[in-house]
Amino acid sequence: MEILSSPATLALICVNIIISIYAFYVDRTFINQFAFQVQAVRDQKQYYRILTSSFLHANLAHLLLNMMTLFFFGPEVERLLGKSGFLVVYFGAIIASGLVSLRVNRNNPAYASIGASDAVSGVVLSFCCFHPFQPLYIMFIPIPIPAILYGVLFMAISAQLMERTNRVIAHEGHLGGALAGVALTILMRPDVVMRLFG
């Protein structure tokens, strides 16, 4: 089983599950203590929230979706970049997402977000760099689309949706994580650029 030969991916899935389940069923105040909150990060300098918020989720469906995506894409990225490279993409995407979210929501001190979607977006876009023409199936779309097209659409849609008000999804976080996944992958493996022309 590929996940068993991907220790970093497996460890991150386990940590996400343990922390999220603890917050769901043991201590609900845990989420407020460690979620990404603009006011806490900007004014109280609680920068750790950029990282800790990525290991918390709103509900089981949110957790399941992120962990399933990581389960399917993480092992291949870890195989191609190695454990250290994979972790650079994963945590680099979290940091980039936090910085983008802080910038976009700088005038909204009440803004808060949680979830591993930022890191997972970085991993998925890293996968797209390595396999640009790999067909991917998207929910509710019955035909596959090339990974490179998925990546472009994902970033374009995230950029468009982040302009909306009264959102419940942190699209700017997804965009920041995705851009970091692409940039860090190219920095570590410049040869991926040639895969578009190979």
Side-chain angles (χ1 to χ4, degrees), residues 30-49:
F30 199 71
I31 293 178
N32 288 330
Q33 293 173 39
F34 295 101
F36 176 86
Q37 296 174 348
V38 168
Q39 186 173 28
V41 174
R42 185 191 64 192
D43 301 335
Q44 300 173 34
K45 312 302 181 188
Q46 296 178 1
Y47 300 117
Y48 62 86
R49 288 176 178 266

Side-chain angles (χ1 to χ4, degrees), residues 8-23:
T9 303
L10 182 59
L12 286 167
I13 290 174
C14 290
V15 171
N16 269 281
I17 291 172
I18 290 168
I19 292 176
S20 293
I21 294 297
Y22 176 83

Side-chain angles (χ1 to χ4, degrees), residues 114-180:
I114 54 176
S117 303
D118 48 8
V120 172
S121 295
V123 171
V124 172
L125 269 291
S126 179
F127 176 93
C128 294
C129 290
F130 284 109
H131 302 289
F133 303 109
Q134 174 79 29
L136 297 180
Y137 285 89
I138 314 300
M139 286 187 300
F140 311 119
I141 300 177
I143 57 173
I145 62 173
I148 186 67
L149 178 58
Y150 168 81
V152 170
L153 288 173
F154 179 85
M155 290 188 285
I157 292 170
S158 294
Q160 182 66 31
L161 293 178
M162 65 186 266
E163 299 297 330
R164 295 186 177 183
T165 57
N166 300 321
R167 293 176 289 108
V168 295
I169 298 176
H171 296 290
E172 64 276 6
H174 294 173
L175 180 61
L179 289 171

Side-chain angles (χ1 to χ4, degrees), residues 65-87:
L65 178 61
N66 278 329
M67 293 307 100
M68 282 183 62
T69 306
L70 186 58
F71 177 88
F72 287 116
F73 289 93
E76 178 65 1
V77 174
E78 185 173 348
R79 182 184 73 82
L80 291 164
L81 288 178
K83 181 170 63 176
S84 297
F86 170 78
L87 291 173

